[in-house]
């Protein structure tokens, strides 16, 4: 193919304990999927799930045991962490029944849905799209993907993020309002899911700002930890 410039390489996330990589297609994110976080954002916790997207090239892979540096983003003074379970889709489908939905999951990872909260709040207030708050460069740190064939489908277990060693968010996957299967069922009525799609499944309460010079450690039971330093 005679491209006018070199295309970006395929974004891919390493699979844990393997030399294989998971090629990323789309990144879907679920809004307000833990009751206590919905309340802290001023929403009704019984609202149905809703979705937004980030481009695939917002991914920042965080290898286990290493601290990855991410620059403080432009045009914000309220750069916030959201720790999330990420489900990685391995099999296509639309209108997927919840009882069959987990068959479509290749594996799971720890992710951070980094957010320019001040810009997101302005856009929300004005009824405008969220991209400037959510889809900026390097806004989707992620750890290795653990194959469901090895670890199963986590539906309980702690998730947390610490900043410089102090707890900021700590909750449990069992407190998801819409679990992974229900989320896939709902999302697949709107979009035909494809292998390579990632779903950031939402964050619990305790979202808060991070500053230059601080380090976030995010983890989920059974999926390890990721470390991101803001520079
Ligand atoms: Mn989120």
């Amino acid at each position: 193919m005679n491209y006018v410039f070199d295309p970006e390489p395929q974004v891919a996330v390493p699979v844990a304990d393997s030399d294989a990589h998971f090629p990323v297609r789309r990144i879907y994110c679920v809004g307000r999927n833990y009751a206590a976080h919905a309340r802290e954002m001023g929403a009704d916790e019984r609202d149905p799930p809703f979705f937004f997207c980030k481009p695939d090239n917002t991914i920042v892979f965080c290898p286990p045991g290493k601290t990855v540096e991410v620059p403080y983003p432009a045009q914000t003074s309220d750069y916030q962490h959201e720790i999330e379970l990420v489900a990685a889709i391995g099999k296509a489908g639309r209108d997927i029944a919840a009882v069959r939905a987990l068959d479509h999951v290749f594996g799971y990872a720890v992710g951070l849905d980094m957010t320019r909260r001040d810009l997101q709040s302005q856009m929300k207030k004005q009824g405008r799209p969220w991209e400037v708050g959510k889809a900026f460069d390097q806004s989707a740190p992620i750890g290795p993907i653990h194959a469901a064939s090895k670890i199963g489908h986590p539906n309980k277990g702690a998730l947390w993020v610490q900043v410089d060693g102090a707890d900021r968010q700590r909750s449990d996957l069992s407190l998801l309002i819409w679990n992974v299967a229900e989320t896939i069922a709902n999302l697949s009525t709107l979009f035909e899911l494809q292998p390579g799609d990632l779903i950031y499944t939402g964050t619990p309460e305790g979202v808060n700002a991070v500053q230059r010079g601080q380090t976030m450690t995010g983890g989920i039971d059974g999926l390890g930890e990721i470390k991101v330093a803001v520079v």
Side-chain angles (χ1 to χ4, degrees):
M1 183 77 71
N2 178 26
Y3 293 116
V4 295
F5 50 81
D6 291 338
E8 284 193 12
Q10 171 69 51
V11 175
V13 178
V15 176
D17 306 316
S18 153
D19 59 3
H21 288 68
F22 180 92
V24 178
R25 179 176 177 265
R26 294 185 182 175
I27 306 174
Y28 295 103
C29 302
V30 186
R32 297 180 203 133
N33 202 11
Y34 289 81
H37 174 61
R39 285 196 295 273
E40 78 181 352
M41 300 306 283
D44 185 330
E45 63 195 66
R46 291 159 303 175
D47 283 347
F50 67 93
F51 305 97
F52 59 91
C53 288
K54 296 189 189 228
D56 62 343
N57 59 12
T58 60
I59 288 284
V60 178
F61 177 62
C62 303
K66 296 221 168 107
T67 301
V68 172
E69 293 189 347
V70 167
Y72 194 94
Q75 299 288 343
T76 184
S77 53
D78 196 9
Y79 175 50
Q80 294 198 353
H81 52 73
E82 296 191 355
I83 184 71
E84 309 201 0
L85 172 70
V86 181
I89 299 295
K91 184 178 142 193
R94 62 180 175 191
D95 296 326
I96 298 165
V99 291
R100 301 243 55 98
L102 297 182
D103 298 348
H104 293 258
V105 179
F106 170 80
Y108 297 90
V110 177
L112 283 166
D113 167 17
M114 297 306 297
T115 302
R116 294 192 284 208
R117 189 74 67 201
D118 40 4
L119 298 187
Q120 183 203 19
S121 301
Q122 281 174 26
M123 293 301 108
K124 251 192 232 179
K125 228 175 273 169
Q126 297 171 336
R128 291 180 178 168
W130 285 11
E131 276 86 349
V132 296
K134 287 292 195 178
F136 55 94
D137 293 343
Q138 295 172 283
S139 61
I142 191 170
I145 294 174
H146 296 258
S149 59
K150 290 191 177 156
I151 64 150
H153 296 275
N155 56 13
K156 59 180 177 355
L159 76 167
W160 62 91
V161 65
Q162 298 182 318
V163 173
D164 293 342
D167 268 12
R168 285 283 188 84
Q169 293 183 270
R170 183 169 292 274
S171 186
D172 196 281
L173 298 175
S174 62
L175 296 174
L176 278 164
I177 298 172
W178 305 93
N179 64 27
V180 171
E182 292 164 337
T183 297
I184 289 170
N186 191 301
L187 182 61
S188 71
T189 67
L190 296 162
F191 303 96
E192 182 166 354
L193 298 182
Q194 298 292 343
D197 291 342
L198 295 177
I199 305 171
Y200 279 60
T201 59
T203 199
E205 70 279 14
V207 298
N208 212 326
V210 279
Q211 313 295 339
R212 270 194 196 88
Q214 293 187 315
T215 298
M216 297 173 281
T217 304
I220 298 178
D221 278 350
L223 301 178
E225 284 190 327
I226 62 175
K227 284 182 196 290
V228 179
V230 184
V231 298

